């Protein structure tokens, strides 16, 4: 009954469909929206898109709504880089021809789906364990820590085309992600995704604060704005 009323309301406001009904059908072909996370390597390798079933614990709503209207690549080499790498002159290169563009949505649909996704919060317990302390870090110190001390640079870009490509780019992370999520994922990637390729680096509480501060700084850098 509620769904029918919603459909009528959305119909009157000119929206093509109701997020509740369309999301699972169209998007669930590639995204896990009901959990649990992949429990085996086979399942993890087979993922066609990132898990969205904890979207409300992870994303910034305004970013979600904007990105869904104008998606731009986040994982330079796709979901599993092994499927999108070809031998190059000096080293392996990304084979962009194997990467598909993401579907873009009209504004009303993007806004409705973003609001719907933000209600998915099965991991409030993990988020509640994180507290972001105020503080500052210079870009230079932050980068040294990220690269040399913690070894994060092997898998993540900290500028367009600077860093590793097997993980999501991180110079946009602060615009996409809630700070508590970043802290929690760095603390224990496997708590979110048991088969994550990101190693648990046993970063100390202080080290996590420094990394999150650095990612927040990168997110504010206008040179990286896109
Ligand atoms: C053909 C498979 C496919 C379909 C269908 C699809 N997606 Fe995606 N989606 C992806 C892939 C792959 C990525 C990762 C993109 C990247 O990293 O550049 C992604 C990324 C996303 C992200 C960003 C998440 C993140 O952490 O990077 C959101 C949000 C999203 N999709 C929502 C949707 C919605 C909503 C729909 C339905 C309208 C949809 N997707 C349909 C494959 C798909
Ligand atoms: C061996 C490669 C590897 C290393 C080393 C690594 N990561 Fe990751 N990281 C990944 C992958 C793969 C993901 C998640 C993949 C996905 O969701 O598609 C990830 C996810 C993340 C996320 C969440 C991003 C998002 O968009 O969901 C953050 C934040 C992050 N890593 C920070 C770090 C930090 C800080 C370090 C160093 C302490 C680090 N990573 C080391 C591979 C790595």
């Amino acid at each position: 009954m509620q769904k029918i009323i919603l459909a009528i309301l959305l119909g009157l406001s000119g929206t093509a469909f109701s997020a509740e009904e369309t999301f699972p059908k169209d998007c669930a072909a590639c995204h896990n929206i009901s959990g649990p996370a992949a429990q085996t390597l086979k399942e993890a390798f087979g993922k066609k898109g990132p898990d969205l079933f904890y979207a409300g614990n992870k994303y910034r709503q305004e970013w979600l709504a904007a990105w869904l209207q104008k998606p731009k690549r986040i994982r330079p080499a796709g979901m599993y880089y092994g499927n999108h790498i070809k031998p190059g002159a000096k080293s392996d290169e990304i084979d962009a021809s194997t990467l598909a563009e993401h579907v873009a949505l009209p504004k009303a649909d993007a806004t409705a789906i973003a609001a719907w996704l933000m209600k998915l919060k099965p991991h409030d317990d993990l988020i509640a364990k994180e507290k972001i302390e105020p503080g500052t870090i210079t870009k230079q110190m932050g980068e040294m820590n990220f690269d040399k001390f913690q070894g994060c640079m092997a898998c993540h870009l900290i500028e367009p085309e600077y860093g590793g490509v097997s993980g999501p780019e991180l110079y946009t992370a602060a615009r996409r992600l809630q700070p508590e999520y970043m802290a929690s994922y760095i603390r224990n990637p496997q708590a979110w995704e048991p088969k994550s390729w990101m190693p648990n680096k046993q970063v100390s509480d202080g080290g996590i604060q420094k990394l999150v501060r650095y990612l927040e700084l990168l997110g504010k850098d206008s040179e990286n704005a896109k």
Side-chain angles (χ1 to χ4, degrees):
M1 186 60 187
Q2 260 179 334
K3 276 191 180 164
I4 295 169
I5 293 170
L6 184 67
I8 293 169
L9 285 175
L10 290 170
L12 287 176
S13 66
T15 305
F17 52 74
S18 112
E20 253 91 355
E21 278 155 7
T22 303
F23 189 92
K25 188 157 43 78
D26 291 357
C27 318
C30 298
H31 293 286
N32 179 348
I33 54 159
S34 49
Q39 301 294 314
T40 64
L41 273 179
K42 192 166 171 245
E43 270 171 50
F45 278 107
K47 281 205 307 195
K48 292 194 186 131
D51 289 354
L52 294 180
F53 68 88
Y54 51 81
N57 292 129
K58 174 170 179 177
Y59 301 105
R60 291 177 173 275
Q61 184 167 353
E62 58 285 6
W63 174 83
L64 271 181
W67 189 86
L68 287 169
Q69 294 171 64
K70 228 181 151 190
K72 199 154 186 285
R73 187 154 297 135
I74 298 163
R75 292 161 189 75
M79 279 308 288
Y80 171 54
Y81 72 102
N83 290 337
H84 303 283
I85 294 280
K86 62 179 178 185
K90 288 199 190 112
S91 57
D92 286 354
E93 289 169 5
I94 295 166
D95 185 356
S97 70
T98 63
L99 292 169
E101 296 291 319
H102 196 272
V103 54
L105 301 175
K107 186 172 180 187
D109 297 348
T111 309
I113 289 188
W116 184 81
L117 281 170
M118 290 309 289
K119 288 189 220 144
L120 308 180
K121 291 181 170 188
H123 285 319
D124 280 345
D125 54 332
L126 292 175
I127 292 295
K129 288 186 190 147
E130 305 298 335
K131 189 168 184 306
I132 308 297
E133 314 279 352
T136 53
I137 193 164
T138 65
K139 211 173 157 190
Q140 209 180 3
M141 270 310 296
E143 181 174 330
M144 195 187 311
N145 182 43
F146 186 88
D147 182 8
K148 301 279 186 303
F149 301 157
Q150 307 284 9
C152 318
M153 188 90 149
C155 302
H156 293 288
L157 295 174
I158 54 165
E159 279 173 30
E161 314 208 5
Y162 184 48
V165 297
S166 58
E169 64 185 26
L170 289 187
Y171 53 93
T172 56
R175 268 173 269 150
R176 292 188 281 116
L177 309 171
Q178 299 170 27
E180 293 80 8
Y181 169 81
M182 296 197 274
S184 179
Y185 203 91
I186 295 168
R187 184 183 303 284
N188 185 0
Q190 284 69 32
W192 293 86
E193 289 182 74
K195 296 295 168 192
S196 176
W197 289 288
M198 175 159 151
N200 182 337
K201 294 267 193 181
Q202 310 289 340
V203 186
S204 67
D205 284 337
I208 291 173
Q209 296 294 329
K210 279 190 198 157
L211 287 166
V212 172
R213 262 172 226 157
Y214 174 60
L215 295 177
E216 292 284 348
L217 185 68
L218 286 184
K220 290 195 189 102
D221 195 333
S222 58
E223 280 171 37
N224 290 330
K226 345 182 251 174

